[in-house]
Amino acid sequence: MKSTYGSHACHLLRINSRSLQAAEVASIGNEYTANMPDPWSQFMTNNSVDTGPDQVEMDISPNVDSGGFPDKVTEADPEHMNDPTQPGEPFPEDDDSPNGPMPDTNPSHPLSQPNDVVSHPLAVGHEANESQTIITEDNMDATDGNNKDIVLNKLVGVHGACLTLSDHDRLRIFIHEFVVRGLLPYIEKMIRTLSEQLASRKGISRSFISATKNWFGGKRNSDKANKTQVDMGGKYLRESPELQMRRLGDLAFLVQMYELAYTSFHTAKRDFNNDHAYMHCAGALEMAATSAFMVGSFNKVYPSHYMDSAVSMYAHTCKKPSFATRAILLSTETLKARGMYGEAAMEFIRMTGEDSDLRSALFLEQGAHCFINMKTPMARKYAFHMILAGHRYSKAGQRKHALRCYCQALQVYKGKGWILSEDHINFTIGRQSFNLKQLENASAAFKHLLTYDSRQPAVQQAAFLREYLFVFQQQMTIAAQEGKPLEPNLPQLPLPIINKVATKVLLANAEQPTLPDNKIAATSVSFDQLYDSAENDKWFELEEMVVKVANKSALSTLRPSQKLLHSRTNNSQRPVAVIREPITVELVLTNPLKVPLMLCDLSLLWRFTPLDYEKVNNETPEKPPTVISNENICMNIANEMIRSQIIPEFELKANEIKAVQLSLTPESTGELSIMGIVYSLSAPLQSSSTVPPSTNMEITDSPSLKHSKKTGSSTVSVRGRQDVDVQGPRLNGTLMEKRIMTYGPDRRLDPIIAPPMPLLEACFADFPYSLLCGEIGQTILEVSNKGDYSLHKLYIASKQPQCFAFRSPNNTDIQSGPLYRTIPLGDREDVDEHVVNVQNLSCVVEVPLLNGLLKPGCSASIPMWIRGPEKAGIHDVDILFYYESTEENFKLRHRVLRHSAVINTTHSLCLKATATRGHIPEHNQGNQSLVVSLQGENMNQVHDRNITEFSLEQVTCVSKTWALEHIATKDKQEFKISGGESVICCLKAQHCKQICTSDSNQVVFTDGVLGKEKIVSYESPCSDFFFRSKFKLKEIEPPPQEFSRTSNNTKSMSVKQSLEGALEVDLTLLVLWKAFVVDETGVSHKYVGQHHVTMTMLDQQISTIPTAQRMVEQKAVRFLKDIDINKSDEPSSTVMIQLIKCSLQHPDHKDHDFTKKRLCTVPATLHLCNCTDKTLAIQVDTDTAPDNTPSMDTSSGYYVTPKPPNSSDFVWVRQVSQQLELSGNSSHQIHLLACFSKAGVFNLSNINVNVTRKSLGLEGEPVEQKKLLPSVITVSQTTNN
């Protein structure tokens, strides 16, 4: 070799000094890895060994990053590339599926780690094969073949195992000597030689060749080339100047002489262009542009048009797309290096076409990355071109690359309002994932199409639903076959949507019992009731009242009973339910799709922990209780603990919001947690022709349609669950809770199952819904015990106890006799006084039961009266039933039952009564009698639909002091009042013979009979409703604290009370009446009722129907501060003007002959009666004005009485003014004399009676008493016959 080529051109390289056996020993002892370097590690990528013949060629190996290029590329057959059932395409490995619900949406760029399309000779597999071939051809025996295979397998992944350190040094010396002594001198020589030859031949050769071409047809070839745009000069001799110029440029570019290279390529491209050698010209243009870019400090602008021309020549003129692709890759890298990402993206997009889907997909993806890397990123263009790239990848059979592109595009469109685009992307991701056997990702993608109000048409939504159900079913089937369930529990389903906030829990049976038409059950609590905080507070207050009465004291901690739980109730504590009683849950389901949904076998999902509350201390703390759930359908014990209601079919129509009620019945005590619902979701299938191609899907075969063709089924059903995790109220108490979104617990779905309790059911027979005001109706209260234990302490609490009363349970035949018990009238004229004990007034009434309890399965009927309120309109009567169990229960001490009755009352009678003192006392006994004026008016008019006529039957006086006198009438006349009429009746009351003290708990009933029979008013129900009419809610409330303070001026308070007590009248008129009503159909009815008129003050009119009060005129605003005079200890002016009762007695007619005697005198007697128990100083003045109307003094602003003018017609004579003292409860007569000067009609009531304040221990001017009633006398002139 040296003799032939010379010693300077030859070099002997000695390598592989270490044998294979020594390399094996070194690898076992880790000697090689510790001491020997790997010379090729920095130039090679870590490619995994081929997985075998089962690896799909068109997909990326699962062990390689999904963002890299495939090692092997094959164009799939267009007829089979979309068929997921082709043989040879197995399920991907487990590593293919990401852990999340969606594929990896942020994969690395495909060019981040370059993988060679063609295997490199130094690749792991290639090296192993070559080394194996070399070793087997060496001096190895055939018997050691197995040993060689073992050695090679151990050395896989190790490079240069047979090289020693000396071999490494010899390799470095060889390379250095080769480059310095051989390669670089050769390149310098070639550059110098080519430069000299080109310089010497440039002038002659160029001119000669050009002239020859012009003379011998060069123009014709040029015209032909320009016309046909084809390469006409592609063949040159090796020694031609054009190729030598191109060779000079290549050598200069190789040794980084970029300026010389640019000049050479520029000169060569001009010659090639003149010769129409477009292939050579395009290559020269490509290299010229590259050289200009590599100069770096080149002052000229980068010639990007050179690359454009080269790409155009490759693609269109020369029809070489592979060379155009190479030029595009080089050009775009150059543009990206200069920051021209927009131009680079346009270059990539320009090379896309229908000739190669794989190349177009790659360029579209790279163009998308250019858009996102711009100075102002263009996210939407990036996402759009990624979708186009995914589409082209799918057409090329690269499903994983297609899936990756769609996932990256989804990051941009997700949550931006591009709903239709998001639908398309999710649907395509689901299809691609299904084709790649990534069923979990496909199910998650299809799930996103069903969780909001989609804008897709109904047919497309039906297709989405079928795709999801089929994929989900396939996922569950494959998991079951492999023995790997998807989840330990049932899978979550996306449809329908549950409105968790609207979840309600009813600790009772939602269905009302079926009763006859004449009976109505207690309303209790239902899902339809609207929540009202004031209404709930009212029920809780009633419960608190009845608990106090039942337990004789208030409980320290009272937990209100709540049977209906929802978002507005207090759910911080676990509710208490009773064993063997249903628990009903109402869920509001929403179908967001435009197609119907069918839920089959719908039931509640629960978890139960059995506990024995009756044996509190028997459970060992070391052994935790067993938790039972119906999540696993194989657990038969679950049905024994909790009986669940199952709805076979529940249909939700398109866009329908519908409530469903599901119930559970616990059969054991413990703790129950309702977690959600379990059901089978199905949707009807349609033919494939109904699925529109609007989704622009690459894969046309629907897996759901394939399923329907194979199996022939009409529906696809999937069994799953949905959790109902209700969020509690937001906490806003502390500063930290206000800053952070913190929510409290909501335990409405976690009830405690308590031991057995009695269960009360109540109903009313023939309940009167429509009554006249004051009418008394009859009904029967039927109570039954449906529980397991006996109940006792049955109470009824209501804030309207005046509307109902009970009768003894022994006499249930209340329909046979009249409502009131009557007795015939006797001949006696005296009045019977019946002393009755006052009933205790309370909101709580005990219901009379036989033996005080009600056993399980038994019922009782209690007669009951209902009285219509005296105000016309619609009235709500709330009744709370309270009862306790005879057995002790630690979890539930009592139970309640609510009932709201609605009573509609119409107008009946309006009664007005006024009590005044008798004018003329009899036998000088002071104020021993009262005159009671009673006026009754029929409030029904003649033109009303129902003709109503009232008849007053009896008037009963109920008082501690007063009694009605017997009214003796010769002819008994009925007091009938027709529509629009009124009647006035005057009664006389006197002190009772059996006077009851104010402290005694008794009252006296005296009857004034107006009808033909006497009604026993002191018995039920007359007396019951009378006492209940006295009920006032404020009376049972504790008095305010300010009234409990003691007053210093006890003397003045006693005077005030004494004076005010003089006008008090404790008298109630109980008016019993009958009503005769003829309805619209002409049927007549007879009703009875009673009204109560309570009079407390004298001369004060009381009406059963409140009248509209007149507006009091407000005083003018004064800007001067008034002197605050404390008058709280002084009685009111109404009391002060009625201390003395005055009456004037005189003849009503007087005949006098004024011709004989000029003056006529008439004697009169003024009766004064002290109504108080105090001694009063009285001033009587007869010298007053005849006009008793007060006038106003404008200067002072106070009312004054004007002085009387002088009158010559009538005057009081004798003693016109008198002062006297009148002891308490005594009377006095003053004899007066009236003088008349002519005939006429005169009013003698112009007498003033004043009481001095000093006699009462008060300061101030005398108080003028109430004016006398008009007292008229007629003086006639007599003539002489």
Side-chain angles (χ1 to χ4, degrees), residues 339-358:
M340 303 169 65
Y341 289 100
E343 290 77 1
M346 292 299 104
E347 291 291 334
F348 280 124
I349 296 172
R350 189 177 66 173
M351 276 303 295
T352 58
E354 297 296 331
D355 53 344
S356 176
D357 291 327
L358 185 60

Side-chain angles (χ1 to χ4, degrees), residues 758-779:
L759 178 62
L760 178 69
E761 287 188 1
C763 66
F764 297 87
D766 299 325
F767 189 86
Y769 297 102
S770 180
L771 295 171
L772 296 173
C773 291
E775 178 190 349
I776 298 178
Q778 304 176 89
T779 183

Side-chain angles (χ1 to χ4, degrees), residues 250-266:
D250 292 340
L251 291 173
F253 189 87
L254 184 61
V255 295
Q256 299 183 5
M257 299 172 64
Y258 299 119
E259 294 185 4
L260 177 59
Y262 174 75
T263 305
S264 302
F265 289 133
H266 186 272

Side-chain angles (χ1 to χ4, degrees), residues 853-918:
L853 57 86
L854 190 62
K855 296 182 179 180
C858 298
S859 60
S861 298
I862 298 99
M864 188 175 180
W865 291 285
I866 304 295
R867 179 175 178 268
E870 296 183 357
K871 184 179 180 181
I874 298 176
H875 304 271
D876 294 330
V877 180
D878 297 327
I879 300 175
L880 182 71
F881 294 88
Y882 171 94
Y883 58 98
E884 295 181 4
S885 174
T886 55
E887 303 292 334
E888 188 176 6
N889 193 325
F890 295 98
K891 291 294 180 181
L892 196 61
R893 296 184 178 276
H894 68 273
R895 304 190 76 177
V896 296
L897 176 64
R898 299 177 182 179
H899 176 66
S900 295
V902 179
I903 300 177
N904 184 14
T905 57
T906 56
H907 291 289
S908 58
L909 287 175
C910 176
L911 300 178
K912 299 178 182 179
T914 305
T916 58
R917 299 188 186 276

Side-chain angles (χ1 to χ4, degrees), residues 767-978:
F767 189 86
Y769 297 102
S770 180
L771 295 171
L772 296 173
C773 291
E775 178 190 349
I776 298 178
Q778 304 176 89
T779 183
I780 296 179
L781 172 62
E782 297 180 1
V783 293
S784 59
N785 184 4
K786 301 297 183 180
D788 297 334
Y789 290 159
S790 301
L791 66 86
H792 67 137
K793 293 184 179 181
L794 179 58
Y795 291 90
I796 284 183
S798 176
K799 290 188 177 181
Q800 298 92 3
Q802 63 273 15
C803 295
F804 59 88
F806 291 101
R807 201 172 184 178
S808 174
N810 297 325
N811 185 9
T812 60
D813 191 12
I814 63 174
Q815 302 291 342
S816 58
L819 182 65
Y820 299 129
R821 188 171 71 89
T822 58
I823 56 177
L825 289 175
D827 297 335
R828 296 183 303 110
E829 295 185 358
D830 55 341
V831 178
D832 293 333
E833 297 180 358
H834 301 278
V835 180
V836 180
N837 294 329
V838 177
Q839 297 181 5
N840 295 326
L841 305 178
S842 175
C843 289
V844 182
V845 180
E846 185 174 4
V847 179
L849 292 175
L850 190 62
N851 299 326
L853 57 86
L854 190 62
K855 296 182 179 180
C858 298
S859 60
S861 298
I862 298 99
M864 188 175 180
W865 291 285
I866 304 295
R867 179 175 178 268
E870 296 183 357
K871 184 179 180 181
I874 298 176
H875 304 271
D876 294 330
V877 180
D878 297 327
I879 300 175
L880 182 71
F881 294 88
Y882 171 94
Y883 58 98
E884 295 181 4
S885 174
T886 55
E887 303 292 334
E888 188 176 6
N889 193 325
F890 295 98
K891 291 294 180 181
L892 196 61
R893 296 184 178 276
H894 68 273
R895 304 190 76 177
V896 296
L897 176 64
R898 299 177 182 179
H899 176 66
S900 295
V902 179
I903 300 177
N904 184 14
T905 57
T906 56
H907 291 289
S908 58
L909 287 175
C910 176
L911 300 178
K912 299 178 182 179
T914 305
T916 58
R917 299 188 186 276
H919 294 295
I920 303 176
E922 297 179 357
H923 308 291
N924 197 19
Q925 294 179 357
N927 51 346
Q928 296 295 324
S929 63
L930 296 176
V931 176
V932 180
S933 174
L934 177 64
Q935 178 182 354
E937 180 182 0
N938 188 348
M939 300 302 295
N940 295 273
Q941 302 299 324
V942 180
H943 57 271
D944 288 347
R945 294 180 299 176
N946 297 336
I947 302 174
T948 306
E949 185 181 38
F950 292 91
S951 173
L952 300 183
E953 298 294 325
Q954 182 171 308
V955 178
T956 300
C957 174
V958 184
S959 176
K960 293 178 179 291
T961 308
W962 303 98
L964 287 181
E965 288 189 354
H966 178 70
I967 300 177
T969 54
K970 296 181 180 180
D971 298 329
K972 291 290 183 179
Q973 297 180 355
E974 295 183 354
F975 287 82
K976 290 188 177 182
I977 311 173
S978 301

Side-chain angles (χ1 to χ4, degrees), residues 527-718:
F527 287 113
D528 300 333
Q529 293 180 356
L530 298 178
Y531 178 78
D532 186 2
S533 58
E535 187 78 11
N536 274 2
D537 295 341
K538 179 177 62 177
W539 288 110
F540 295 159
E541 185 179 354
L542 287 176
E543 185 176 357
E544 186 178 3
M545 290 180 183
V546 70
V547 166
K548 290 180 181 180
V549 174
N551 295 276
K552 309 301 182 182
S553 63
L555 298 179
S556 57
T557 56
L558 175 62
R559 181 179 175 183
S561 300
Q562 290 184 353
K563 287 190 175 182
L564 180 61
L565 306 173
H566 44 80
S567 59
R568 300 183 64 182
T569 57
N570 184 10
N571 304 322
S572 59
Q573 297 180 354
R574 305 185 69 166
V576 180
V578 180
I579 184 175
R580 289 185 287 276
E581 292 186 12
I583 302 173
T584 309
V585 179
E586 182 182 82
L587 300 173
V588 179
L589 306 181
T590 303
N591 180 12
L593 304 182
K594 301 175 184 177
V595 294
L597 296 177
M598 180 63 69
L599 309 182
C600 301
D601 298 333
L602 178 61
S603 63
L604 290 174
L605 188 64
W606 49 264
R607 183 183 293 116
F608 181 69
T609 304
L611 297 173
D612 192 356
Y613 295 114
E614 295 181 352
K615 300 178 182 179
V616 182
N617 298 324
N618 288 349
E619 190 166 351
T620 58
E622 294 82 5
K623 183 179 179 181
T626 305
V627 179
I628 302 173
S629 175
N630 65 340
E631 298 179 61
N632 191 346
I633 59 176
C634 297
M635 298 178 64
N636 296 327
I637 193 174
N639 297 327
E640 298 178 1
M641 291 293 179
I642 304 292
R643 288 189 290 107
S644 303
Q645 177 190 5
I646 299 177
I647 300 178
E649 290 185 354
F650 184 79
E651 183 179 4
L652 279 173
K653 298 181 180 179
N655 299 119
E656 184 181 11
I657 301 176
K658 191 175 182 181
V660 59
Q661 297 177 4
L662 300 168
S663 63
L664 297 174
T665 304
E667 298 293 339
S668 176
T669 59
E671 297 179 354
L672 176 65
S673 295
I674 301 174
M675 299 181 295
I677 57 175
V678 57
Y679 57 94
S680 296
L681 178 62
S682 61
L685 288 176
Q686 301 178 4
S687 62
S688 59
S689 60
T690 59
V691 181
S694 59
T695 56
N696 196 16
M697 237 55 66
E698 304 86 34
I699 303 174
T700 58
D701 295 334
S702 172
S704 62
L705 296 180
K706 289 181 181 179
H707 174 73
S708 64
K709 291 177 183 178
K710 293 180 181 179
T711 60
S713 61
S714 59
T715 58
V716 179
S717 179
V718 174

Side-chain angles (χ1 to χ4, degrees), residues 10-83:
C10 298
H11 184 87
L12 178 61
L13 177 62
R14 296 179 180 179
I15 59 175
N16 293 335
S17 300
R18 178 179 295 176
S19 63
L20 187 61
Q21 289 79 5
E24 178 187 0
V25 175
S27 63
I28 295 175
N30 293 329
E31 179 184 351
Y32 176 79
T33 56
N35 300 324
M36 300 301 293
D38 189 350
W40 290 284
S41 61
Q42 56 181 336
F43 304 107
M44 300 183 64
T45 58
N46 295 325
N47 295 330
S48 61
V49 184
D50 293 339
T51 57
D54 293 337
Q55 179 66 32
V56 183
E57 290 184 351
M58 64 180 65
D59 294 333
I60 303 173
S61 174
N63 295 328
V64 185
D65 185 10
S66 62
F69 282 134
D71 290 336
K72 299 178 182 180
V73 179
T74 58
E75 290 290 333
D77 187 1
E79 297 179 0
H80 303 286
M81 64 179 180
N82 296 329
D83 192 357

